[in-house]
């Protein structure tokens, strides 16, 4: 891959990403949704009996990631489909004829931006939850605890990776509505299917993104039978890699 070509393409993608209004709205909404969920959980537990544990507060405070993942996933989708919708993709390929460089630039720029937003959102959820329980008997969840820090950081990583899955799906589908619908379906439908099998569905459920998020990644202690938080996070990265590789293969052989 030509270094100059990639830098040029990445610079173009940064400009386009920052100039689109939806980028900022989706990023802000992701952070706000996490912060609101954290504050709501903290306020709800202030008078709860028995007194909640630090792990309960943290696990529930990060629950806003359910909404945030969809917002950042949509951001990743629109990074690609927005250009197809306006026809700008033809100009992009004219400026950078090597399509794999264009896709690599989109992945790098979107990944960096989404990871940053994801981490900010995750820490916002954590902090708002902790602020909401101040002055109560509920123990604080310290970031000095490796389990607490791991849950917060990996939740942010999960959100960033979801955006990359969105880039892959957007490249495959190319239509904004269909791609976002596909993303939403992939996040929720497998969880519903796994739930139909009860406890025996755990063998399938541990591969399902939303179940990994709620029961392995965004918690201090993974549910028995599921993968560890680190393996779940790596599995999400694998899903993103597969989506992007499939999109890249189609991108090379289809007309703009």
């Amino acid at each position: 891959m030509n270094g100059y070509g990639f830098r040029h393409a990445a610079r173009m993608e940064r400009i386009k990403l920052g100039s689109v209004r939806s980028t900022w709205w989706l990023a802000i909404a992701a952070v706000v949704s996490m912060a609101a969920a954290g504050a709501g959980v903290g306020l709800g537990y202030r008078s709860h009996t028995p007194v909640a544990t630090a792990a309960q507060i943290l696990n529930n405070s990060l629950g806003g990631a359910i909404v945030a993942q969809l917002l950042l996933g949509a951001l990743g989708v629109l990074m690609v489909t927005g250009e197809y919708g306006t026809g700008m993709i033809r100009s992009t390929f004219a400026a950078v004829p090597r399509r794999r460089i264009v896709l690599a630039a989109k992945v790098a720029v979107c990944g960096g931006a989404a990871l940053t937003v994801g981490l900010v959102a995750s820490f916002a959820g954590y902090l708002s939850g902790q602020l909401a329980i101040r002055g109560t008997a509920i123990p604080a969840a310290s970031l000095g605890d490796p389990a607490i820090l791991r849950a917060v950081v990996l939740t942010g990583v999960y959100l960033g990776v979801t955006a990359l899955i969105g880039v892959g799906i957007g490249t495959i589908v190319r239509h904004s509505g269909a791609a976002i619908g596909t993303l939403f379906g992939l996040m929720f439908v497998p969880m519903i299917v796994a739930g139909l099998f009860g406890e025996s569905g755990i063998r399938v459920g541990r591969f399902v993104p939303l179940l990994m998020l709620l029961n392995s990644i965004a918690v201090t202690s993974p549910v028995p039978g599921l993968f560890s938080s680190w393996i779940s996070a790596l599995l999400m990265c694998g899903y993103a890699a597969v989506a992007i590789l499939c999109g890249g293969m189609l991108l090379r052989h289809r007309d703009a």
Side-chain angles (χ1 to χ4, degrees):
M1 183 179 297
N2 184 277
Y4 173 77
F6 175 77
R7 289 194 299 271
H8 173 63
R11 184 166 59 251
M12 287 172 52
E13 295 302 329
R14 282 195 298 270
I15 294 172
K16 286 185 286 187
L17 183 65
S19 62
V20 177
R21 189 178 303 173
S22 61
T23 297
W24 298 99
W25 283 116
L26 289 169
I28 292 170
V31 175
V32 170
S33 65
M34 288 290 290
V41 166
L43 292 172
Y45 272 108
R46 285 185 68 89
S47 56
H48 187 271
T49 303
V51 175
T53 65
Q56 283 179 304
I57 295 295
L58 177 76
N59 296 350
N60 288 286
S61 292
L62 297 177
I66 297 174
V67 175
Q69 68 171 345
L70 300 178
L71 295 168
L72 291 183
L75 188 153
V77 166
L78 294 174
M79 181 94 178
V80 179
T81 61
E83 289 197 62
Y84 278 102
T86 60
M88 188 182 294
I89 193 69
R90 297 185 183 88
S91 299
T92 298
F93 289 152
V96 185
R98 299 182 67 181
R99 296 186 178 189
R100 64 176 183 175
I101 291 181
V102 173
L103 181 57
K106 288 183 181 294
V107 168
V109 171
C110 182
L115 178 60
T116 300
V117 174
L119 289 171
V120 170
S122 183
F123 277 94
Y126 160 77
L127 289 172
S128 60
Q130 295 302 299
L131 289 173
I133 62 171
R134 290 186 66 178
T136 69
I138 302 173
S142 171
L143 290 176
D145 183 338
I148 301 292
L149 181 61
R150 183 194 68 240
V152 175
V153 171
L154 288 186
T155 298
V157 171
Y158 173 97
L159 295 176
V161 172
T162 302
L164 293 182
I165 293 176
V167 171
I169 293 174
T171 306
I172 294 169
V173 178
R174 302 196 295 182
H175 183 277
S176 297
I180 291 174
T182 299
L183 175 69
F184 284 23
L186 289 174
M187 291 297 174
F188 288 103
V189 173
M191 181 184 70
I192 297 172
V193 173
L196 296 176
F197 295 93
E199 292 185 3
S200 61
I202 197 72
R203 293 183 179 180
V204 176
R206 60 184 176 177
F207 293 96
V208 175
L210 192 53
L211 289 178
M212 288 193 294
L213 171 68
L214 297 177
N215 298 294
S216 176
I217 293 175
V219 293
T220 55
S221 299
V223 172
L226 291 181
F227 294 122
S228 71
S229 55
W230 289 104
I231 292 178
S232 294
L234 288 174
L235 189 56
M236 283 296 294
C237 292
Y239 291 160
V242 169
I244 291 166
L245 286 173
C246 289
M249 291 175 63
L250 291 172
L251 187 66
R252 291 183 61 186
H253 301 292
R254 290 193 303 200
D255 293 333

